[in-house]
Amino acid sequence: MPALSKPIPPLYTVYILRSTVRHASLYIGSTPHPPRRLKQHNGEAKGGAVRTSRNTLRPWEMVGLVSGFPGMVAALKFEWALTNPHLSLHIPSSSRISTSAGTKRNGHPKRPRHSLTSILSNLHLLLRVPSFARWPLNVHFFAPEVHEAWKKWCRTANEPLRDTIRVLTDFAPSPSPSAPRDSENPSADNEPQKPWGIHALPLDYAPMKDYVTKTQSIYDFEREGSCVGCKEPLEPGKGLYATCSNPGCECTGHVSCWSKLMLGKEAGEDIIPITGVCPRCKGEVVWGDLMKEMSLRIRGPKEIEKLLKKPRKRKARAESTT
Ligand SMILES: [Zn+2]
Ligand SMILES: [Zn+2]
């Protein structure tokens, strides 16, 4: 099958990159792996973008990002709209914050220079336009002053964001007040630093391990049963089936039937569900989770093999914290 047939990545993000040397230098990009991408921008790994290759502006840092895209194409669309607010059809021209900065030789409008305010205001706008507003996106901020600027913008914006959009912060841990850096306390310095920011994001499928273990057992042993929606028997391998993500629940159905169930009255329109309730276990189901598991099952045999082969150490640690 062609390259398109990859499973939905564990994470896909559109990020705001800032020069630590000159904060006014900002850049927007997208990646499934922010730590690796940042290394590329900083010249520590191959494949950086030309515009971030100037040594005088390095190192770069990611001060914020948007996650929760259903896949790469969705993220690229969002990245493009955020990078080209003067062109994007998603943004009505009356509400564009950055108007075009003149025209290029070919008559096309020039891209205006990004400023933090223009990026944040266009981000706010994009999260509200119908084409993106239904996606279960998360907005992350990793620099306190960028989060402050965002809050300030939210207070002045005419419209609030949908409540399905989560805003999360994760800032650099401040040095502990009981053990200031200049004190004679070497043990504080030796403590391994807890990962934060882009280094604390889930970059693999590990959080899905139990879910995938369950669905593997259902589909391997052909226990699909009958569809949760239309009640027809689900013949193994005869269609696109999705299974409830809640522990222990084997409720399975056609993708189209889950969609109808989750959309309720809205069904029939060309829209994607966000969340719903499983009719069998009554637990909440997130559409993106169902799709991620299904895409992994159908298109990611290698990824599944890797996920289910993970050393048991990791699992034991995760369990001991619960
Ligand atoms: Zn059905
Ligand atoms: Zn269920």
Side-chain angles (χ1 to χ4, degrees), residues 227 230 254 257:
C227 174
C230 67
H254 298 105
C257 291

Side-chain angles (χ1 to χ4, degrees), residues 28-73:
I28 292 160
S30 67
T31 180
H33 200 299
R36 189 174 60 209
R37 187 74 185 127
L38 182 62
K39 276 190 175 175
Q40 292 175 329
H41 284 302
N42 283 331
E44 295 160 12
K46 274 187 198 163
V50 177
R51 271 188 292 157
T52 60
S53 64
R54 271 168 61 190
N55 264 325
T56 50
L57 293 175
R58 283 174 173 167
W60 296 85
E61 61 182 339
M62 288 183 182
V63 290
L65 56 81
V66 182
S67 72
F69 294 99
M72 187 181 76
V73 174

Side-chain angles (χ1 to χ4, degrees), residues 29-246:
S30 67
T31 180
H33 200 299
R36 189 174 60 209
R37 187 74 185 127
L38 182 62
K39 276 190 175 175
Q40 292 175 329
H41 284 302
N42 283 331
E44 295 160 12
K46 274 187 198 163
V50 177
R51 271 188 292 157
T52 60
S53 64
R54 271 168 61 190
N55 264 325
T56 50
L57 293 175
R58 283 174 173 167
W60 296 85
E61 61 182 339
M62 288 183 182
V63 290
L65 56 81
V66 182
S67 72
F69 294 99
M72 187 181 76
V73 174
L76 288 178
K77 272 188 195 166
F78 195 90
E79 178 197 356
W80 192 87
L82 191 58
T83 313
N84 298 283
H86 61 305
L87 297 177
S88 177
L89 297 177
H90 295 292
I91 300 182
S93 55
S94 56
S95 45
R96 280 176 199 162
I97 313 302
S98 352
T99 46
S100 171
T103 48
K104 289 195 280 195
R105 224 179 292 168
N106 61 8
H108 291 300
K110 265 188 205 160
R111 175 162 59 205
R113 257 184 83 85
H114 294 310
S115 72
L116 185 60
T117 310
S118 75
I119 291 174
L120 294 180
S121 57
N122 286 316
L123 175 61
H124 196 273
L125 208 60
L126 277 183
L127 292 172
R128 284 169 13 225
V129 297
S131 24
F132 299 122
R134 292 196 58 85
W135 294 350
L137 299 175
N138 303 315
V139 186
H140 309 246
F141 290 106
F142 307 126
E145 69 280 8
V146 176
H147 183 230
E148 280 306 314
W150 169 257
K151 284 195 291 185
K152 196 175 155 199
W153 182 260
C154 290
R155 282 194 296 269
T156 54
N158 304 328
E159 274 180 77
L161 289 183
R162 292 171 61 96
D163 51 13
T164 50
I165 290 168
R166 288 192 300 162
V167 178
L168 310 161
T169 59
D170 194 5
F171 305 140
S174 50
S176 153
S178 59
R181 269 189 170 214
D182 54 352
S183 79
E184 308 261 317
N185 187 355
S187 66
D189 273 356
N190 291 340
E191 258 175 55
Q193 210 187 35
K194 204 173 140 265
W196 64 277
I198 59 169
H199 302 284
L201 295 168
L203 298 173
D204 60 18
Y205 294 104
M208 291 181 64
K209 189 172 174 178
D210 290 344
Y211 184 14
V212 169
T213 305
K214 177 182 79 180
T215 57
Q216 287 291 295
S217 124
I218 294 172
Y219 293 93
D220 282 356
F221 294 96
E222 305 189 348
R223 283 205 314 274
E224 289 92 336
S226 50
C227 174
V228 57
C230 67
K231 315 295 180 204
E232 299 281 323
L234 297 167
E235 283 186 64
K238 288 282 168 66
L240 290 179
Y241 308 145
T243 298
C244 176
S245 54
N246 292 304

